[in-house]
């Protein structure tokens, strides 16, 4: 779940519906990045028009009109730097997906999982149904993480925090619409799930490292290198690496 209030902090004078929260989080990220001289992949009209008390999208924010396509690239950049968005990370490489599943398993979980999504089935169903699910790809020129991770995104324009359906249920429902309309064969499936016991996560990460699939390669930066080195030490010792000045 996307915790917008945790990201944006208390704001008694604002109403945190999801659409406004998404726009606010993205614009604050772009505005500060622009102020410190970073190259941002967005039309600057959004920065000129936006202020935290009046959104430029209007009353339809959070419906099928949000997000606009001209902000896809900015949303992808923000997502890969920790800003919550409604874009869902996927990759063309199942081994990269396995890395992210194994890196930080949910506490108390018995299994980790890789979800395999049939893009062709989703696209065919989208041509015949009104379900606002789409595959999003953006230019990778300004986002090295996208290139390294062979990344793409799934966007559900009807995403709502209060909705009880899980992503796999949403995608399966989407594909069933394609079967009903006749563009997909009976029995077509949108999602398959591959599981591994959580206790095998460290062994899996060690194997992936030998294939060059680790945080240093998937997030190519000095920070990525240091985080990968720390992760390797933790797997070797079975404990968190202490910081300088901390007791061992």
């Amino acid at each position: 779940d996307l915790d917008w209030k945790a990201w944006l902090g208390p704001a008694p004078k604002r109403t945190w519906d999801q659409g406004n929260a998404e726009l606010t989080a993205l614009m604050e990220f772009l505005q500060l990045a622009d102020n410190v001289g970073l190259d941002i992949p967005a039309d600057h009209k959004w920065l000129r028009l936006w202020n935290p008390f009046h959104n430029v999208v209007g009353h339809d924010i959070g419906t099928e009109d949000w997000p606009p396509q001209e902000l896809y690239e900015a949303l992808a950049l923000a997502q890969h730097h920790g800003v919550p968005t409604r874009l869902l990370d996927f990759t063309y490489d199942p081994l990269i997906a396995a890395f992210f599943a194994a890196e930080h398993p949910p506490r108390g979980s018995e299994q980790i999982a890789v979800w395999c999504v049939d893009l062709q089935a989703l696209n065919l169903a989208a041509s015949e149904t009104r379900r606002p699910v789409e595959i999003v790809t953006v230019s990778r020129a300004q986002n090295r993480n996208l290139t390294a991770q062979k990344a793409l995104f799934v966007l559900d324009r009807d995403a709502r925090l209060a909705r009880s359906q899980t992503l796999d249920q949403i995608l399966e429902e989407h594909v069933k619409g394609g079967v009903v309309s006749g563009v997909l064969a009976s029995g077509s499936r949108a999602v398959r799930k591959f599981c591994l016991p959580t206790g095998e996560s460290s062994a899996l990460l060690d194997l992936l490292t030998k294939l060059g699939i680790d945080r240093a390669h998937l997030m190519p930066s000095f920070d990525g290198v240091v985080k990968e080195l720390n992760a390797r030490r933790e797997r070797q010792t079975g404990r968190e690496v202490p910081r300088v000045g901390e007791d061992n």
Side-chain angles (χ1 to χ4, degrees), residues 18 37 46 67 75 105 135 144 166:
Q18 183 173 337
W46 288 89
L75 283 165
I135 307 303
R144 297 179 65 191
T166 60

Side-chain angles (χ1 to χ4, degrees), residues 3 134 166:
D3 191 348
E134 63 183 273
T166 60

